[in-house]
Amino acid sequence: MGVFSFLVLCVIAFFLWRISDQMPDVLFRLSEVQKDVAEMRRQGEQSND
């Protein structure tokens, strides 16, 4: 049972490492999407005026 628990812990640590490795890219893409949405809102407001 101890070996199984160790293997599960290693798998969890690996996935956490992979997620944290990708985090800066994900945050950058989210900020770009947020900028695009804000730009579309501004264009929509200008066309309504």
Side-chain angles (χ1 to χ4, degrees), residues 17-34:
W17 171 68
R18 292 295 295 157
I19 290 170
S20 67
D21 190 40
Q22 297 294 323
M23 195 59 69
D25 187 44
V26 170
L27 293 175
F28 174 75
R29 290 180 185 187
L30 284 175
S31 68
E32 290 297 312
V33 168
Q34 189 177 19

Side-chain angles (χ1 to χ4, degrees), residues 6-21:
F6 176 73
L7 289 176
V8 170
L9 183 64
C10 287
V11 169
I12 290 171
F14 173 76
F15 283 118
L16 287 175
W17 171 68
R18 292 295 295 157
I19 290 170
S20 67
D21 190 40

